[in-house]
Amino acid sequence: MKGESKMCKVSIIMPSYNVCKYIRECLESIRKQTLDDIEVICVDAFSTDGTREIIQEYVDKDSRFIMINDDKGSCGYSYNKGIDKASGEYIGFVETDDYIAEGMFEVLYTAAEKYRLGYVKSNYTAFCNLDTENRYYEEMGIVSNMPDIYGKIIAPCDMPELLVCDQNMWNGIYRSDFIKDNVRLNESKGAAYQDISFLIQTICQAKRAMYINECMYFYRRDNENASMVNPKGVVNLYREFMYAKLFMEKCKNISQYHWCYFYMKLVNSGILKNSGNLVELHNGEKPELYDTLENVRKEMITADKNGYISYAILGNERYKHVKELIKSVKEYVAYINADFQNREDVLGKFLERLKGEKNIVIFGAGNCGKRAFLSLARKELQDNVAAFCDNDEKKQNTKLYGKDILSLKTILDKEKIPFFVVANEKYYMDIVRQLRTACISETNIILYKITGMEW
């Protein structure tokens, strides 16, 4: 009968609530998968904006799609309900404001079956809309700081560093019996970072897994309803970490290193970076924020005493954040807001300097150069960029965001001397020296540094 689950290769679970602006593109990317033997379990929390009607269109025309209801208004409950319903050999997850490459599930399923994996994951591409016609894309490597493990069978349970590297549940597939027997998401209200505990549970228990060095999932970064733009997001994020902590306390194979990386993950999560600004934004009217920061402070004090956090483990910048918080919540809020304001000022001065330039060349066509272009596009200055420049011959004579990537010689052969934005944090001194050797005035050079404010 139409809509009933049947045994298939991959079950794809998609929680949704009021995402009609994005969901059609998402559903269409799943419908076009080259792996035909799938089921798509759409778990909708009674959307009121037309989302349910769009899902129903796909249910009516494609028997692989079904829709069930989330009657608790909890993303964790939606995931759990979808997992219980899933009949696939493997389970995958797709967020309904994202989309996927046509071959994603075929590539992942083939690898999972060939190597008998508990899970397999790909890299992903973050994106946002620059305008109605153009998008900004940036490739994200999950384990790019450990490139040697790509394409190899690993035992995640013995690699606690993955707790920090691997941030997302949706860019992979997981063996169904492994998930059903070992993983349960927190059924907290709303879309509240339930993937934190999912990742910790899977990584700490999986014995065979693989990471593929190919971007096949496209993750949206410009959804105005993102959780971290409101105080509740910080509170919910902390609660998800505490739910995961309860799991770790009961898990038998948790080592000292697992706890070190758990607390590093907590420090990196955004609780510390975002909470100070939100406290300032709401002028102390959200006491729950203060309570959450106080609870995190107590966690950090305990972790510090147990040797789970240190300068050597966290690095200078993160450890400074933790030490400021340990002093007091009040001092930490002042510290983080000063840091936030400084980064905002740096980016603001950079954009102000370029506002009148009409012949900009971004020197660097890597991620730093892409971020520089995104910053300019946010201020509608993308038309002021004449080209990219890069010393990598493989990139030369190609295009990036519709702009030519050229050698320095080709650019200097043109009649008008451009204004250079040096966007390569690793080799910026070499590039500046190269420009000076080419007799480019320092008044025609500006350095760009990623501030974290670009998105």
Side-chain angles (χ1 to χ4, degrees), residues 338-389:
D339 175 67
F340 181 88
Q341 187 61 54
N342 179 61
R343 288 186 289 123
E344 197 171 54
D345 288 347
V346 167
L347 183 59
K349 288 176 182 177
F350 168 79
L351 293 170
E352 184 64 28
R353 174 64 185 85
L354 293 178
K355 193 163 58 175
E357 299 294 338
K358 303 296 184 183
N359 189 29
I360 298 170
V361 169
I362 298 176
F363 204 134
N367 277 347
C368 190
K370 292 177 183 178
R371 290 287 184 101
F373 184 83
L374 177 60
S375 298
L376 291 166
R378 288 292 190 213
K379 293 295 182 181
E380 298 183 350
L381 297 173
Q382 64 266 37
D383 291 341
N384 294 16
V385 177
F388 285 86
C389 180

Side-chain angles (χ1 to χ4, degrees), residues 81-100:
K81 195 168 184 179
I83 289 168
D84 292 341
K85 180 79 171 173
S87 66
E89 299 170 52
Y90 294 87
I91 293 173
F93 308 94
V94 177
E95 294 192 350
T96 45
D97 53 352
D98 303 336
Y99 68 97
I100 58 177

Side-chain angles (χ1 to χ4, degrees), residues 139-189:
E139 293 186 356
M140 303 290 187
I142 310 175
V143 288
S144 53
N145 58 340
M146 299 185 291
D148 290 344
I149 75 170
Y150 278 118
K152 295 180 180 178
I153 300 170
I154 60 170
C157 60
D158 296 328
M159 298 180 68
E161 58 270 35
L162 289 173
L163 293 175
V164 174
C165 301
D166 194 346
Q167 300 286 334
N168 308 297
M169 64 186 282
W170 29 251
N171 51 324
I173 60 173
Y174 310 81
R175 189 158 192 88
S176 186
D177 54 4
F178 169 63
I179 295 299
K180 288 176 183 280
D181 293 343
N182 297 292
V183 179
R184 204 68 182 169
L185 285 93
N186 188 14
E187 297 185 0
S188 49
K189 293 289 287 183

Side-chain angles (χ1 to χ4, degrees), residues 286-348:
K286 302 290 182 183
E288 205 172 12
L289 269 175
Y290 285 100
D291 293 342
T292 296
L293 278 175
E294 183 59 37
N295 288 333
V296 174
R297 189 179 81 87
K298 291 174 182 176
E299 284 288 332
M300 292 302 161
I301 291 171
T302 302
D304 198 23
K305 287 179 179 177
N306 290 335
Y308 298 151
I309 57 174
S310 66
Y311 172 85
I313 294 168
L314 294 178
N316 183 49
E317 184 179 349
R318 296 186 188 96
Y319 194 57
K320 279 173 62 180
H321 276 254
V322 171
K323 281 301 186 182
E324 290 296 329
L325 178 60
I326 286 175
K327 289 178 187 176
S328 78
V329 169
K330 185 176 180 180
E331 286 190 42
Y332 179 72
V333 169
Y335 170 79
I336 196 66
N337 279 314
D339 175 67
F340 181 88
Q341 187 61 54
N342 179 61
R343 288 186 289 123
E344 197 171 54
D345 288 347
V346 167
L347 183 59

Side-chain angles (χ1 to χ4, degrees), residues 269-282:
S269 67
I271 291 179
L272 300 189
K273 289 181 181 179
N274 292 301
S275 56
N277 183 49
L278 286 168
V279 166
E280 179 88 359
L281 183 65
H282 292 278

